[in-house]
Amino acid sequence: MKSQDIRSKFLSFFEEKKHTIVPSAPMVLKDDPTLMFINAGMAPFKEYFLGNAVPKSNRIADTQKCLRVSGKHNDLEEVGYDTYHHTLFEMLGNWSFGDYFKKEAIAWAWELLTEEFGVDKDILYVTVFEGDKEDGLGMDTEAYELWKQFVPEDRILMGNKKDNFWEMGDQGPCGPCSEIHVDIRSAAEKAKIAGKDLVNMDHPQVVEIWNLVFMQYNRKANGSLESLPDKHIDTGMGFERLCMVLQGKQSNYDTDVFTPIIREIEAITHKEYGKDEKTDIAIRVISDHVRAVAFAIADGQLPSNTGAGYVIRRILRRAVRYGFTFLDKKEPFIYRLVEVLAQKMGHAFPEIKSQKQIVENVIKEEENSFLRTLEQGLVLLNRIVEETKGDTVSGEKAFELYDTYGFPIDLTALILNEKGLKLDQEGFKVQLEKQKTRSRAASEMSTDDWTILYDDADEEFVGYDTLTANVKITRYRKVVSKKDGEMYQLVFNITPFYPEGGGQVGDKGYIEAANGDVTYILDTKKENNVIIHFAKELPEDVNGTFKAIVDDEERARTEANHSATHLLHQALREILGTHVEQKGSAVQSKSLRFDFSHFSKLTDEELRDVENFVNARIEGKLPLEEKRNIPKEEAIAEGAMSLFGEKYGDTVRAIRFGQSIELCGGTHVKNTSDIWHFKIVSEGAVAAGIRRIEAITHDAAKEFYFDNNQAYFEMKALLNNAQEPVKALQNLQDENAGLKKQIEALLKDKAKNVKGELKSELTEVNGVQFLAKQLDLDAAGIKDVAFELGGEVDNLFLLLAAENDGKALLSCYISKNLVADKGLNAGQVVRDLGKYIQGGGGGQPFFATAGGKNPAGIQEALEKAKDFIA
């Protein structure tokens, strides 16, 4: 059975069981501070389990893209070495929110596997939660009795808390679970050892295939459990593992989920899969990682140096590294696999087809960048090897190479081994652990349980219509972090505060008690469908009624910038073409940032056209036309633009200014004239095929023109109030250029005179013509002198120094025959002597320069120069 058919059969089965089939949510999470990526099928439904929202259906089924490479669920280092862990994987799931429970979940799982898919009952084992004394929980006898209807008791195994009690996190909904495991070993292997003895023992052919979670408890901050008001079902079946079983394979990578990608890797690299273990691991790593990276980019997450972007960059670089080391690929090639991926998975996940070009461009640029890093790292590693005394390279040095330059530690170890050297692995681990400890300390946060004051499930947002409201606090909790210290999170029954989302920052302001006491709201965010207000302290009477007041000036500036992004999007599509799509935005009170797909830098004329387009609509005083809670299909039919990577509900909010229509939950000006003016301050590349415009509006634009106007008059005054200041400045520049040429000519003449003096000062040291001297010349003059003298004198070792504008300069010239015969290296000389001037540099073996900020160290550097030839 082909993988597409397996996926379809699963969804059809649960559709017949009256489940609503929903599409996969974007893998990259934007409104959940506890997760970077969806790492389990239940993540998109957290708000339902927590009771913060009502699902459109009590029964749902889907296939969800998941990514596990960070945090608690970290499979990255296993990927490629075994045949059943993946970074990106599909989780087939069926869900019940307060509807059916264990009886139906168990019966349907057995029916689907054994009757619909035809899996042999004799190769299946199930596990049941054995209980846990610490939590005061007994064995899950209900699940045990239900399984006995289908499975012999010797195939029902007890599982401990680690394996058979599923938790969403340190706090929140949780419950016992039953796992279904499959034993696909040969008959001969089964005769040697029973499958039940290999369950949960990391055997590659005895693996978990489906987990049925019975969500019935809530874990509190103190670790205790309380029963949830409703019981839920949360199941997850690994699609890749199911394909392995149904296609009669012994490895996920032998299924048609991966074989088209593997065939393409073989064709590109001229390596054959299945012949050599190291080659096989590399091919598995690449075929897995390209899926994770491609779908993350398609969902809107670009590789970067922080957060979720860093995780994606790390995955891709791991793939590049394996191709570089084991497949001998020294040029980009992983981007070429996206075409196969789009063909294979485009039907189930259309975003990979529609975003294919962007995904290819970004991956190719990242590959090029990391290959340059590897090349640079090899040079740095060679230098470390040269400086190493003995046969062991310092773990601290290797960590610096890893941490500062991104050079993989396993590649370092491999190269050192080839050179007959060892790596101080323990020293490296110590440095790595120190870094992890610093990172953990920086992000460590403790969160108390919610203190419930009022039971109000609505928590209505009224901030589209008003900036003030009379509110009550329905619940609060304390959170403590190293970054922010002690904070309180407050939830109101209604709120005018807009929570951060859709690129727009959260509102600030305050709440005022009846006695006039004020509590400042420092930020507003949304977590699991709940609007949370951040404050440094609690009001004295948390049960009172408060007047909530949003900072109207901040909101007005932010709204101007947000509305301007909509007009900017329209302008870019009109001027550059409809290929332009929004790829991200950041809207705050001081400025706006807009990322979009485009293949080249915008010309000055294009930037001017974009500005004029937006400002024409500002001057046109276009009124805001807003439609709330309309069906998504209706809004799209009216021309509204939706953004890839955004999660939309069945009903949406549509924002229109003239011909600009977008789906948007943010706040906006009532009329485009409120934006005042739009000014682009920068345009540049973010990644291949992705550009970024930064711009200002409103008060920031006024300040911009005021500052520029002031600078203009100050400049004009310096030019003696010239009637044509631009022409006067050009004349000044021309005059300056002429004077520079005269100075350069004078310095060249001076250098020629200096050459004769230096030649007479040379001394012979061990057969080398040596001189170390400070000169009153600039860098170009010193270089001219060095090369002219080098052309006339053999066996020359010259170290020249200068002080210019309070900075030190060292230049070293070594005759090429000395470089070859004595192994001297000018680059190494200036690097070593650079420490005396508190600087560094480099260059070629026969000529190199170093700059530093400590001219006082020049004399000591000159004195040490002779050591290189002594």
Side-chain angles (χ1 to χ4, degrees), residues 743-757 775-778 781 785:
I743 292 169
E744 286 171 8
L746 289 170
L747 286 172
K748 281 202 171 188
D749 288 341
K750 183 178 180 181
K752 285 177 184 177
N753 295 330
V754 167
K755 181 188 71 174
E757 296 173 17
L775 301 177
D776 184 22
L777 289 174
D778 64 2
V785 168

Side-chain angles (χ1 to χ4, degrees), residues 129-139 160-162 165 167 170 219-226:
F129 180 51
E130 67 183 8
D132 184 79
K133 286 184 181 179
E134 188 180 334
D135 280 335
L137 297 175
M139 171 188 161
N160 58 23
K161 182 178 175 181
K162 175 180 175 290
F165 194 87
E167 307 203 40
D170 294 332
R219 177 79 67 185
K220 301 179 73 175
N222 63 7
S224 65
L225 295 173
E226 62 182 5

Side-chain angles (χ1 to χ4, degrees), residues 14-55:
F14 281 103
E15 191 170 29
E16 290 171 5
K17 303 293 185 188
K18 299 190 167 42
H19 287 64
T20 299
I21 308 303
V22 298
S24 173
M27 192 168 64
V28 183
L29 284 165
K30 297 181 179 177
D31 297 324
D32 187 342
T34 65
L35 287 174
M36 285 184 183
F37 304 98
I38 287 179
N39 63 358
M42 60 79 62
F45 308 120
K46 281 171 68 174
E47 60 199 47
Y48 306 143
F49 290 121
L50 290 165
N52 297 333
V54 178

Side-chain angles (χ1 to χ4, degrees), residues 276-311:
D276 172 76
E277 180 62 14
K278 288 184 176 179
T279 299
D280 290 354
I281 289 170
I283 290 175
R284 287 197 292 267
V285 165
I286 294 162
S287 62
D288 171 274
H289 288 10
V290 69
R291 296 182 352 132
V293 172
F295 275 103
I297 295 169
D299 276 350
Q301 181 57 64
L302 296 174
S304 70
N305 286 329
T306 58
Y310 175 71
V311 174

Side-chain angles (χ1 to χ4, degrees), residues 50-52 218 220 226 229 448-457 459 472-478 489-492 530 538 542-543:
L50 290 165
N52 297 333
N218 179 53
K220 301 179 73 175
E226 62 182 5
D448 287 356
D449 287 321
W450 287 108
T451 298
I452 308 296
L453 301 178
Y454 301 99
D455 188 11
D456 188 326
E459 297 166 346
K472 293 182 78 68
I473 300 173
T474 61
R475 49 178 153 161
Y476 68 87
R477 66 183 179 189
K478 183 169 76 173
Q489 297 180 345
L490 315 177
V491 178
F492 306 146
V530 175
L538 280 175
V542 293
N543 293 296

Side-chain angles (χ1 to χ4, degrees), residues 477-493:
R477 66 183 179 189
K478 183 169 76 173
V479 294
V480 181
S481 68
K482 187 164 186 177
K483 179 186 175 186
D484 299 316
E486 190 175 283
M487 297 278 282
Y488 289 91
Q489 297 180 345
L490 315 177
V491 178
F492 306 146
N493 59 333

Side-chain angles (χ1 to χ4, degrees), residues 23-159:
S24 173
M27 192 168 64
V28 183
L29 284 165
K30 297 181 179 177
D31 297 324
D32 187 342
T34 65
L35 287 174
M36 285 184 183
F37 304 98
I38 287 179
N39 63 358
M42 60 79 62
F45 308 120
K46 281 171 68 174
E47 60 199 47
Y48 306 143
F49 290 121
L50 290 165
N52 297 333
V54 178
K56 62 181 179 182
S57 170
N58 287 334
R59 296 183 181 188
I60 283 175
D62 70 350
T63 177
Q64 174 63 48
K65 297 174 295 185
C66 300
L67 190 68
R68 284 190 185 173
V69 288
S70 59
K72 179 181 175 184
H73 299 292
N74 186 348
D75 295 341
L76 182 59
E77 297 310 318
E78 283 132 354
V79 174
Y81 286 86
D82 68 26
T83 59
Y84 55 95
H85 278 102
H86 301 288
T87 48
L88 176 133
F89 58 96
E90 282 186 61
M91 188 72 86
L92 302 169
N94 58 290
W95 318 85
S96 166
F97 306 107
D99 188 6
Y100 63 83
F101 201 47
K102 295 179 185 179
K103 180 181 177 182
E104 294 84 354
I106 288 172
W108 290 340
W110 192 256
E111 178 187 350
L112 177 60
L113 284 177
T114 62
E115 296 179 25
E116 296 296 322
F117 284 134
V119 177
D120 184 352
K121 298 175 184 179
D122 292 336
I123 67 170
L124 296 175
Y125 294 86
V126 299
T127 61
V128 171
F129 180 51
E130 67 183 8
D132 184 79
K133 286 184 181 179
E134 188 180 334
D135 280 335
L137 297 175
M139 171 188 161
D140 189 354
T141 53
E142 182 184 359
Y144 188 86
E145 292 300 321
L146 288 166
W147 277 120
K148 279 169 57 179
Q149 300 174 50
F150 308 105
V151 185
E153 288 189 63
D154 65 345
R155 289 179 176 272
I156 306 175
L157 312 176
M158 294 298 106

